[in-house]
Amino acid sequence: MKAGGIELGEGGKSSTSRSGVNKGVSVLDFIFRILAFIGTLGSAIAMVTTNETLPFFTRFFQFRAEYDDLPTFTFFVVANAIVSGYLLLSLPFSIFHIVRSSAQRTRMILIFFDMVMLALLTAGASAAAAIVYLAHKGNARVNWLAICQQFNSFCQRTSGSLIGSFAGIILLALLIMLLGVALARRP
Amino acid sequence: MKAGGIELGEGGKSSTSRSGVNKGVSVLDFIFRILAFIGTLGSAIAMVTTNETLPFFTRFFQFRAEYDDLPTFTFFVVANAIVSGYLLLSLPFSIFHIVRSSAQRTRMILIFFDMVMLALLTAGASAAAAIVYLAHKGNARVNWLAICQQFNSFCQRTSGSLIGSFAGIILLALLIMLLGVALARRP
């Protein structure tokens, strides 16, 4: 009963201002979701369209690099595609939160899936970053040569496509925090 | 005022049983934290102590593989060490939650840091997994040879050390969910 009394006091004090803050938070949530969607979709497209054919070739084969020569890049594309698809599907929920700023259950569902997507995107992006690093620097100890001297544009393209993905990671982390703020401030 | 009234009804109904559930959740939180600490610390130690010297050598060098030949493995060790250190430091908070099952602010702080650590551990583990995959399979297109034929024990050890790290990821995700349940059920 005591806890109930405290809630009653808080609810009466500033219910309208809290709902206003939640609306602002929800609008920010919507904007971040669109930005993260653009970032991850851009990353996926940039990676998928990456290929480079070198201008010289031997009798037996042409020197050609495509993103799916390295399985990790395929995983990167799949992870980015899944996350961008999820972000698109979550936009209606975000709009619903702007309209009904006191909704809690949908926010909890969203925070859960956001977290799953954050983990997936982090996994994809960091695995791809490890391979991109190797492509740039190579590794003398295990005799893996840096391929970026030959496939220069391929390397630049794959490195660049990481940016959208890492921006997506930061935005998803911010989204989770925004949802947490909105949940903590329940009117 | 309406929201306050609903809270009052709920608070009076089952305040004690909710506190009991929260205590159970907090005990589970404590156990998972210890398990995740053991997993990540074990991963870090297993990786750091990995090295293999092949029984044959040329006049110029000995064939020797150590974990820090690959920078990604160094990142993996650092990520696991940071996460296991954090998990150890978070144990007192977990005990505090068992004693005071209605604490909210500390739970929110913990859920935030748990999420940061989940992202860090996922990044480390998946980057290391990408390299381990390459060590096992190699890549014919970019002429990176599989080194596991030569450095067999090195490869087994590094692959094995991923297990503790991935178990840590799952446990951290469960911890975040448990904290979320405890926060949602605030008495």
Side-chain angles (χ1 to χ4, degrees):
Chain A
M1 292 300 262
K2 195 179 143 213
I6 291 165
E7 287 290 339
L8 184 71
E10 281 189 2
K13 199 172 59 191
S14 55
S15 167
T16 47
S17 87
R18 285 192 168 210
S19 144
V21 170
N22 267 8
K23 207 176 274 295
V25 165
S26 299
V27 171
L28 213 59
D29 179 288
F30 184 70
I31 295 167
F32 282 180
R33 238 164 249 281
I34 290 176
L35 289 177
F37 167 69
I38 294 169
T40 49
L41 187 70
S43 273
I45 291 172
M47 186 61 93
V48 164
T49 54
T50 297
N51 62 66
E52 187 179 8
T53 309
L54 294 188
F56 51 88
F57 46 88
T58 67
R59 196 168 147 199
F60 301 107
F61 59 80
Q62 217 178 358
F63 294 98
R64 187 177 162 79
E66 265 177 288
Y67 83 98
D68 58 359
D69 290 340
L70 292 154
T72 310
F73 287 157
T74 311
F75 172 53
F76 175 82
V77 169
V78 170
N80 272 285
I82 289 173
V83 171
S84 69
Y86 160 78
L87 284 169
L88 191 64
L89 289 176
S90 74
L91 284 179
F93 287 94
S94 193
I95 295 168
F96 173 72
H97 291 152
I98 297 174
V99 179
R100 272 202 56 191
S101 58
S102 63
Q104 287 169 25
R105 206 166 286 268
T106 49
R107 280 209 170 86
M108 278 183 197
I109 296 168
L110 220 54
I111 213 171
F112 172 75
F113 281 106
D114 277 3
M115 235 159 55
V116 173
M117 291 298 148
L118 176 63
L120 176 66
L121 194 60
T122 309
S126 62
I131 298 296
V132 164
Y133 178 84
L134 212 56
H136 274 282
K137 299 267 176 183
N139 191 304
R141 297 300 301 263
V142 295
N143 210 23
W144 292 339
L145 296 174
I147 58 164
C148 285
Q149 274 112 37
Q150 294 106 56
F151 296 102
N152 193 25
S153 124
F154 175 79
C155 268
Q156 282 181 350
R157 194 70 178 273
T158 50
S159 313
S161 73
L162 291 180
I163 297 169
S165 206
F166 277 102
I169 291 173
I170 293 166
L171 286 168
L172 267 175
L174 288 174
L175 279 173
I176 293 168
M177 272 178 244
L178 283 181
L179 281 172
V181 166
L183 278 175
R185 280 175 170 272
R186 55 170 90 169
Chain B
M1 290 301 262
K2 196 177 142 213
I6 290 164
E7 285 291 338
L8 183 73
E10 280 190 3
K13 198 172 60 190
S14 55
S15 167
T16 47
S17 88
R18 285 192 166 211
S19 144
V21 170
N22 267 6
K23 207 177 272 296
V25 165
S26 300
V27 171
L28 213 60
D29 180 288
F30 183 71
I31 295 168
F32 281 180
R33 238 165 248 283
I34 291 176
L35 289 177
F37 167 69
I38 294 169
T40 50
L41 187 70
S43 273
I45 291 173
M47 186 61 94
V48 165
T49 54
T50 297
N51 62 65
E52 187 179 9
T53 309
L54 293 188
F56 51 89
F57 47 88
T58 68
R59 196 168 146 199
F60 301 106
F61 59 81
Q62 217 178 358
F63 294 98
R64 188 177 161 77
E66 264 178 290
Y67 82 99
D68 56 0
D69 290 340
L70 291 155
T72 310
F73 287 158
T74 312
F75 172 54
F76 176 81
V77 169
V78 170
N80 272 284
I82 290 173
V83 172
S84 70
Y86 160 77
L87 284 168
L88 191 63
L89 289 176
S90 74
L91 283 180
F93 287 94
S94 192
I95 294 169
F96 173 73
H97 290 152
I98 297 174
V99 178
R100 272 202 56 191
S101 58
S102 64
Q104 288 170 23
R105 205 165 286 267
T106 48
R107 279 208 170 87
M108 278 183 195
I109 296 169
L110 219 54
I111 212 169
F112 172 75
F113 281 106
D114 278 2
M115 236 158 55
V116 173
M117 292 298 150
L118 176 64
L120 176 65
L121 194 60
T122 309
S126 62
I131 299 297
V132 164
Y133 178 83
L134 213 55
H136 275 282
K137 299 267 177 183
N139 191 304
R141 298 299 301 264
V142 296
N143 211 22
W144 292 338
L145 295 174
I147 58 165
C148 285
Q149 273 111 38
Q150 293 106 57
F151 295 103
N152 193 25
S153 124
F154 174 79
C155 269
Q156 282 182 349
R157 195 68 177 274
T158 50
S159 311
S161 72
L162 291 179
I163 297 170
S165 206
F166 277 102
I169 290 173
I170 293 166
L171 286 168
L172 268 175
L174 287 175
L175 280 173
I176 292 169
M177 273 178 242
L178 282 180
L179 282 172
V181 166
L183 278 176
R185 280 175 170 273
R186 54 171 88 170

